[in-house]
Amino acid sequence: MKILVFEYITGGGFNKQALPAALVAEGLLMLNGLLDGLTQIQGVDVVVMLDWRVCTSINSDGMRPCIITPDHQTLDELERLALQCDVVWPIAPEFDGILQKLCQRIEALRKPLLTSPAKAVALTGNKWQTFQKLTQHKIATVATQRFEDFYYQSGEWMIKAIDGAGCSDSYLVTDLNDFELRSGQLAVNGQFIVQPHIHGEKTSLSCLFKAGRGWLLSANVQKFNVKNQQYHLQEILVNVTSDVSKYQRLVVEIAMVFPDLWGYVGIDLIETADAIYVLEINPRLTTSFVAIQAALGINPCQCVLDLRVGEPLIYPQCNVPVIIKIPQDNHEI
C-alpha cells in the first residue's frame, strides 16, 4: 500500500511565505510521529510532502520525500502525488476551511482518506454547529453563543474563532473594557463564538471512530499558561489514568451523534467537580497521537489502517503516562 502523507504546515502549505515556527514545531511533532508509525508497518510505502525549509528536521529513510519549493503550486502537487498513491493521510488545521477543502480535493480524485471525510470536518470544525449538535443530543458541553448575539455580562469569557484550531484565535476577557477592546479588533476578522471561562482540569481524549462506533485509546491532561490574554499549551500528559470507563461512555455517545467521524480524532474536555464538558472535537491528528505508542505499546497508525477492513486491534502492551513538552518558539522561519 502506498500512502501519501501531507502535513499542511510542514508540507508546503506555507511554501510562498514565512513559516510560523510555533505551528511548525507542533506540525513536525505530529508528522514525525505519523511517519515513525507508518514505517513500522510491513507492506506500507510512504510518500511525504516536505517544505524545503524543514527537510533536515525529518528522517526520511525508507520513504519517498517530495520537496516543495516556492516555485511549486502545492495543491497541484498534492493532487499529482495523490493519483500515484493508494490512500492519502492529510494533517491540517480547521481554520479557514483548510482541512475541509483538502479532504474535498482528495475525495474529488476518488482516493480514500485515512481521516474523517469533508462533511464530518465541516461539522466538527465549526464550534457553533458542534455545540448545537451536542446540545440537541444532551451531551454536556460549554454554553456557546455567536459573537454577534452576545451582550457582555460580568464574569470571565472566552472569545474564539468559530473554526479555530488550538489557542491562536482564542482570547480571555475579564471585564467590559477587555471585551470592548477585543470586539473592536475582531469585528472584521471572521466569525467568532463566546463561551464562559470555566475553571477546571483540561483533559483530552485520543480516539478512533468508524460508522457510528468509537474506541478510546487514551485520556490525557493538557497544561497551559495564560499570557497576553491567550492560553498557551505547555505540555500534555498522555495516558494519565487506567480508569477510563467514564470517558469510553462519552466516546460511544459522540460516535453515535457524529457517525461520519472516521479514523483518529481528538476530543478536548473541561472537567469540574460536577461535570465533564465537551469543548471541541478535532477530526484529525492531535499532538497526543505522538506518545500513544510509548504509553500503550500499540501503533496507532496500524489501528487506523485496521479500520479499513474491520475493527481496530487495540491490545496494549504497556500502560504508562508519557509527557510531551510543547515547543514555545514563536518566530518565523
Side-chain angles (χ1 to χ4, degrees):
M1 178 189 298
K2 184 179 288 188
I3 300 176
L4 173 61
V5 173
F6 176 55
E7 197 286 314
Y8 184 83
I9 308 299
T10 62
F14 283 78
N15 67 317
K16 298 182 187 296
Q17 56 188 296
L19 282 172
L23 294 178
V24 170
E26 284 200 69
L28 285 173
L29 273 175
M30 288 186 282
L31 179 60
N32 275 309
L34 177 58
L35 295 176
D36 182 59
L38 288 174
T39 54
Q40 294 175 34
I41 302 172
Q42 188 173 7
V44 167
D45 295 320
V46 178
V47 179
V48 57
M49 296 174 65
L50 294 175
D51 186 287
W52 59 281
R53 291 159 291 188
V54 305
C55 295
T56 58
S57 301
I58 296 291
N59 179 6
S60 59
D61 291 347
M63 63 190 77
R64 176 188 162 196
C66 295
I67 309 305
I68 305 300
T69 72
D71 295 328
H72 285 101
Q73 300 301 319
T74 299
L75 296 182
D76 290 345
E77 284 298 295
L78 172 67
E79 292 188 359
R80 182 182 69 82
L81 293 168
L83 290 171
Q84 300 174 13
C85 295
D86 299 304
V87 293
V88 182
W89 198 325
I91 313 169
E94 296 95 322
F95 62 74
D96 296 332
I98 293 172
L99 180 57
Q100 178 186 344
K101 292 172 185 175
L102 287 177
C103 292
Q104 288 171 335
R105 277 180 175 263
I106 302 306
E107 290 167 357
L109 298 174
R110 300 187 181 277
K111 287 291 180 177
L113 288 161
L114 292 177
T115 61
S116 293
K119 60 182 178 180
V121 174
L123 176 57
T124 56
N126 183 299
K127 293 180 177 64
W128 174 245
Q129 291 183 19
T130 299
F131 163 75
Q132 291 180 304
K133 195 80 169 175
L134 291 168
T135 302
Q136 177 186 350
H137 291 271
K138 296 180 171 55
I139 295 177
T141 185
V142 179
T144 301
Q145 299 180 60
R146 292 180 298 183
F147 182 75
E148 59 266 31
D149 298 331
F150 179 76
Y151 293 93
Y152 180 81
Q153 304 172 44
S154 62
E156 296 182 340
W157 301 89
M158 294 297 301
I159 302 176
K160 302 177 180 180
I162 202 167
D163 61 352
C167 306
S168 58
D169 286 319
S170 297
Y171 305 93
L172 172 63
V173 296
T174 57
D175 57 38
L176 181 58
N177 288 336
D178 276 352
F179 179 75
E180 290 179 342
L181 176 62
R182 191 61 63 185
S183 297
Q185 294 170 340
L186 299 180
V188 295
N189 290 331
Q191 293 183 296
F192 289 82
I193 52 102
V194 182
Q195 298 173 328
H197 182 223
I198 296 177
H199 294 271
E201 187 167 55
K202 295 166 178 62
T203 51
S204 69
L205 306 179
S206 297
C207 315
L208 298 173
F209 288 89
K210 176 185 177 180
R213 299 187 64 192
W215 297 265
L216 177 65
L217 295 176
S218 69
N220 321 303
V221 171
Q222 300 174 313
K223 295 191 175 182
F224 297 83
N225 68 10
V226 179
K227 182 179 179 182
N228 297 327
Q229 296 179 288
Q230 288 190 288
Y231 273 86
H232 297 269
L233 182 60
Q234 301 294 298
E235 67 179 31
I236 306 171
L237 283 69
V238 176
N239 192 40
V240 293
T241 177
S242 58
D243 181 16
V244 296
S245 57
K246 61 182 178 181
Y247 300 122
Q248 181 62 61
R249 289 193 297 271
L250 179 59
V251 170
V252 169
E253 291 175 357
I254 289 173
M256 291 188 291
V257 173
F258 299 91
D260 292 321
L261 287 173
W262 194 97
Y264 181 93
V265 175
I267 301 172
D268 290 339
L269 311 172
I270 294 181
E271 298 191 42
T272 68
D274 302 318
I276 300 175
Y277 298 99
V278 177
L279 188 61
E280 294 183 14
I281 299 173
N282 302 301
R284 53 173 171 79
L285 291 196
T286 61
T287 307
S288 300
F289 174 90
V290 307
I292 289 173
Q293 186 160 9
L296 297 173
I298 59 175
N299 184 344
C301 296
Q302 181 65 66
C303 292
V304 171
L305 293 182
D306 290 343
L307 291 171
R308 299 193 71 219
V309 295
E311 295 186 5
L313 302 177
I314 305 172
Y315 299 111
Q317 303 301 303
C318 59
N319 190 0
V320 296
V322 176
I323 297 176
I324 302 173
K325 296 286 187 180
I326 307 300
Q328 300 300 309
D329 195 355
N330 290 310
H331 70 279
E332 293 185 332
I333 299 173

